[in-house]
Amino acid sequence: MEYVILAVVIAVVAIGAITGLVVSGKRRKELDKPSQTPTITAPPAAGTKGAPAETAAPPTAEKPVAAQPTGEEPAVAEPAAEQPSVEEPAVEQPAEEVRIEEAEAAPAIEVPEPTAGRLVRLRSRLSRSQSTLGKGLLTLLSRDRLDEDTWEEIEETLLTADVGVGATQELVDNLRTRVKVLGTRTPDELRGLLRDELVKLINPELDRTVHSVKAEGGPAVVLVVGVNGVGKTTTTGKLARVLVADGRKVVLGAADTFRAAAADQLQTWGERVGAHTVRGPEGGDPASVAFDAVKQGISDGVDTVLVDTAGRLHTKTGLMDELGKVKRVVEKHGPVDEVLLVLDATTGQNGLVQARVFAEVVDITGIVLTKLDGTAKGGIVISVQRELGVPVKLIGLGEGADDLAPFEPGAFVDALLG
């Protein structure tokens, strides 16, 4: 009986052992299958070019990855996730930024407005001169009685407006005669008489053309001279715009080497209209810069070379002699066609002193009056012409780039009278 029980126990143990072996074998097979999944997802981690979308690791693959050391996980996962976002912008975005910067760096060439009739368009800028000279005279002439006191007030108004003593006396004498003979008293008739006399004093017969083209070929040379602070460099830049608007090709010469910002300022004006600027070292020889500018103009085949000279005080003989040297050096290429003297209209009769000294050093051919928009001294146009026998060719009527206008006597007087 004991042997039977022992045999049964042995059989049960044997069956249990066999069953345990079978179950453990199945478990090993099941564990071996998911353990192969990392070898499928590993290639996309190194490079995703050949990996299809369906080979993404299934949820069961997360367990073996989680079982790896935590220090290795970012080293494999992060480059694989960031690689596409780095490669695509690196090719496209910088190229767009470069194209935008190049477009901003290219200077835009401006097209100045035509100069024909520019003074008529800017006549409102003469409002202050108009109130003192034009309207003041018309008010006095319209009085019921033109006695000696009234004529003295008329003379005083003209002198205050810087018409000058000689021109004032001539104008008053002519007006008294015409009013007495013609018996003119209506406002329109008086305005007509005053206009005729003012235009006559300004002398419309003078040649006011800026000679910017040589008849025999080669560039015309224009020297721009004047004392400090009259707006000479700015006037040179605006004159370049006037010439370009009239179809001229221009080269600028920055011969003002004593003022650090002068060459930069002139170059900026030139770039706006596509004009080349010749400049030298700061403190260099102005005559050398002027000579090189004319040489460049000949090489480029331009119509006009504008030379901006240093703003020099008329009381300093050495500087005035240097201006004469600039003119002589430039004339090695040929005669200078224009010497334009820039005067500040607000200086009044002091400007005549400057004009006389400059006329002794270089032959002034024309006058540019600046700042007429901010002055009550419009009569300076008359007095400076009578003093030098040189016409006013251009007037500045504002701070805008195109506020330099060719001088027209009739339009100017009309603007003064309102």
Side-chain angles (χ1 to χ4, degrees):
M1 190 65 179
E2 292 179 355
Y3 292 105
V4 174
I5 294 172
L6 182 61
V8 172
V9 171
I10 293 172
V12 171
V13 171
I15 292 171
I18 293 171
T19 303
L21 290 174
V22 172
V23 171
S24 63
K26 288 182 179 180
R27 287 181 179 176
R28 284 177 185 175
K29 289 181 181 180
E30 290 176 359
L31 292 173
D32 288 342
K33 288 180 182 180
S35 66
Q36 295 176 358
T37 54
T39 59
I40 297 175
T41 56
T48 58
K49 292 184 179 180
E54 290 83 319
T55 57
T60 54
E62 294 178 359
K63 295 180 180 179
V65 174
Q68 295 179 0
T70 58
E72 297 178 1
E73 183 176 345
V76 176
E78 285 183 2
E82 294 178 0
Q83 189 68 19
S85 62
V86 173
E87 289 181 358
E88 293 178 2
V91 177
E92 298 179 1
Q93 262 184 334
E96 294 177 358
E97 292 175 359
V98 170
R99 285 195 296 271
I100 293 173
E101 291 176 358
E102 290 177 352
E104 292 176 351
I109 304 300
E110 300 178 10
V111 181
E113 65 178 67
T115 60
R118 184 179 289 185
L119 182 55
V120 176
R121 296 194 295 273
L122 297 173
R123 61 188 300 171
S124 62
R125 308 291 178 84
L126 289 168
S127 57
R128 292 186 63 184
S129 293
Q130 177 190 101
S131 61
T132 299
L133 181 57
K135 290 183 178 179
L137 289 177
L138 287 175
T139 300
L140 291 172
L141 289 171
S142 299
R143 287 182 178 177
D144 294 335
R145 183 182 177 187
L146 294 177
D147 54 15
E148 288 300 322
D149 291 340
T150 302
W151 287 113
E152 288 181 4
E153 289 185 50
I154 292 173
E155 287 185 5
E156 184 179 349
T157 300
L158 291 169
L159 291 173
T160 304
D162 277 331
V163 173
V165 176
T168 295
Q169 191 62 51
E170 180 181 338
L171 178 59
V172 170
D173 289 344
N174 290 340
L175 283 174
R176 293 184 72 164
T177 300
R178 295 187 66 178
V179 168
K180 183 177 181 180
V181 171
L182 300 176
T184 302
R185 298 311 302 272
T186 65
D188 289 341
E189 290 173 335
L190 289 173
R191 185 185 184 283
L193 287 180
L194 183 57
R195 182 187 187 281
D196 291 343
E197 293 302 324
L198 288 173
V199 170
K200 187 187 299 182
L201 285 178
I202 294 175
N203 192 356
E205 304 298 327
L206 293 176
D207 180 15
R208 303 180 189 278
T209 305
V210 177
H211 299 286
S212 56
V213 178
K214 279 188 183 295
E216 65 275 11
V221 179
V222 179
L223 292 183
V224 183
V225 302
V227 298
N228 298 314
V230 295
K232 184 173 45 54
T233 300
T234 299
T235 298
T236 304
K238 291 182 179 181
L239 178 55
R241 294 178 66 88
V242 169
L243 297 178
V244 169
D246 291 338
R248 306 285 188 262
K249 294 181 180 179
V250 179
V251 162
L252 299 172
D256 185 355
T257 59
F258 297 111
R259 188 164 63 91
D264 294 335
Q265 183 182 357
L266 191 63
Q267 184 171 345
T268 300
W269 280 103
E271 289 174 350
R272 291 178 180 178
V273 292
H276 179 65
T277 301
V278 177
R279 54 189 298 178
E282 183 179 346
D285 183 14
S288 176
V289 176
F291 182 87
D292 290 342
V294 178
K295 182 179 179 181
Q296 184 69 47
I298 295 172
S299 175
D300 293 348
V302 301
D303 300 305
T304 314
V305 177
L306 293 176
V307 180
D308 174 33
T309 60
R312 53 199 80 243
L313 296 175
H314 63 280
T315 56
K316 296 186 177 180
T317 306
L319 292 177
M320 297 302 294
D321 290 343
E322 186 175 303
L323 177 60
K325 175 188 173 184
V326 170
K327 186 172 184 289
R328 291 192 301 272
V329 169
V330 168
E331 286 177 336
K332 293 181 179 180
H333 289 294
V336 173
D337 299 87
E338 287 274 7
V339 179
L340 297 177
L341 174 63
V342 181
L343 294 176
D344 184 343
T346 62
T347 61
Q349 295 298 312
N350 290 332
L352 296 181
V353 179
Q354 301 169 10
R356 293 189 198 102
V357 177
F358 275 97
E360 293 172 0
V361 179
V362 290
D363 296 326
I364 305 297
T365 61
I367 299 166
V368 183
L369 279 175
T370 63
K371 306 180 185 179
L372 267 174
D373 60 315
T375 177
K377 304 180 183 295
I380 189 66
V381 173
I382 299 171
S383 56
V384 72
Q385 285 190 163
R386 290 173 65 93
E387 179 69 26
L388 299 179
V390 175
V392 173
K393 294 191 172 184
L394 298 157
I395 58 174
L397 296 169
E399 299 297 329
D402 293 321
D403 288 346
L404 185 69
F407 184 72
E408 304 169 32
F412 178 75
V413 172
D414 288 338
L416 288 180
L417 297 179

